[in-house]
């Protein structure tokens, strides 16, 4: 069984490989060319370096996948909403790695005091693994952008799914939560 831990800069070579495969062969990312390690390092630093969750699933054989949650949009009123991203190595797909990563990510986002996680799922057909995974972990469908991406010779729909945490929109924000502290600090 894979162990979940915080990602480290030393993991970036493998993270870059996993993401490159997803870009080249999948539709989870709408990037058409895989970014290099330097770009991935900058992305990692922007998230993990600012306290956002960034985790890996690892076995003795190495890293099997990674996940992170970052700001959904840059405007301050969105500060309680994060967007999740999960990428699993081709050889690890179908073995529960994505579920382990997403479950751990949800718990960390909850602990930090965020109120919503948004999944933006490329090529989000009802039978896609990502849609099914998010449904199993309590996400609800919240929107669809038809024909919003063009990749691998076809138009792709984007599915939005949402999970409420920490009372969602039912109570005022916790002034001691991570998003509120960041906001007061002007970040």
């Amino acid at each position: 069984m894979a162990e979940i831990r915080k990602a480290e800069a030393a993991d970036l070579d493998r993270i870059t490989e996993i993401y490159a495969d997803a870009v080249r062969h999948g539709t989870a990312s709408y990037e058409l060319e895989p970014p290099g390690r330097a770009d991935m390092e900058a992305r990692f630093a922007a998230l993990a370096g600012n306290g956002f969750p960034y985790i890996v699933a690892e076995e003795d054989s190495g890293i099997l996948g990674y996940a992170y949650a970052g700001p959904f949009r840059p405007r301050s009123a969105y500060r309680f909403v994060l967007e999740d991203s999960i990428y699993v190595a081709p050889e690890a797909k179908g073995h529960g790695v994505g579920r382990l990563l997403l479950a751990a990510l949800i718990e960390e986002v909850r602990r930090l005091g965020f109120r919503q996680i948004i999944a933006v799922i490329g090529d989000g057909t009802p039978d896609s693994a990502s849609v099914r995974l998010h449904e199993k972990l309590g996400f609800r469908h919240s929107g669809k952008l038809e024909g919003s991406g063009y990749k691998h010779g076809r138009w792709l729909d984007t599915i939005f799914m949402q999970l409420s945490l920490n009372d969602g929109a039912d109570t005022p924000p916790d002034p001691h939560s991570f998003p509120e502290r960041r906001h007061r600090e002007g970040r």
Side-chain angles (χ1 to χ4, degrees):
M1 173 81 38
E3 300 265 333
I4 303 296
R5 65 168 173 81
K6 286 178 83 167
E8 304 167 353
D11 301 326
L12 286 171
D13 286 340
R14 181 64 173 142
I15 287 170
T16 301
E17 288 174 13
I18 292 169
Y19 187 65
D21 180 79
V23 169
R24 284 188 193 104
H25 304 290
T27 55
S29 169
Y30 281 15
E31 289 194 76
L32 300 177
E33 296 297 326
R37 190 186 187 287
D39 285 339
M40 294 297 286
E41 186 171 358
R43 295 175 189 193
F44 174 77
L47 292 170
N50 283 298
F52 292 99
Y54 205 122
I55 59 177
V56 295
E58 183 177 46
E59 285 186 340
D60 292 339
S61 61
I63 294 172
L64 304 175
Y66 70 99
Y68 58 86
F72 175 64
R73 296 286 181 267
R75 305 288 188 261
S76 293
Y78 285 116
R79 69 188 174 277
F80 299 100
V81 182
L82 294 182
E83 179 180 337
D84 72 13
S85 293
I86 305 149
Y87 294 96
V88 176
E91 68 275 9
K93 290 181 180 176
H95 298 285
V97 174
R99 185 182 180 100
L100 282 173
L101 284 164
L102 183 55
L105 192 65
I106 290 168
E107 286 314 306
E108 182 61 10
V109 169
R110 184 186 323 272
R111 186 189 69 75
L112 290 169
F114 289 94
R115 295 300 185 97
Q116 307 285 335
I117 303 175
I118 306 296
V120 181
I121 302 172
D123 196 20
T125 61
D127 62 336
S128 79
S130 188
V131 168
R132 289 193 322 267
L133 170 63
H134 282 85
E135 287 172 341
K136 286 177 187 171
L137 291 177
F139 284 72
R140 63 181 170 79
H141 290 262
S142 55
K144 178 180 180 179
L145 302 175
E146 296 176 352
S148 55
Y150 188 79
K151 188 172 180 180
H152 302 308
R154 63 188 178 96
W155 289 103
L156 306 172
D157 294 344
T158 303
I159 299 294
F160 285 81
M161 297 180 76
Q162 182 172 349
L163 178 67
S164 293
L165 304 168
N166 299 318
D167 294 328
D170 293 337
T171 60
D174 175 355
H176 305 291
S177 67
F178 178 75
E180 275 296 78
R181 289 191 321 268
R182 281 182 51 82
H183 178 66
R184 283 193 308 274
E185 295 166 4
R187 298 191 294 157

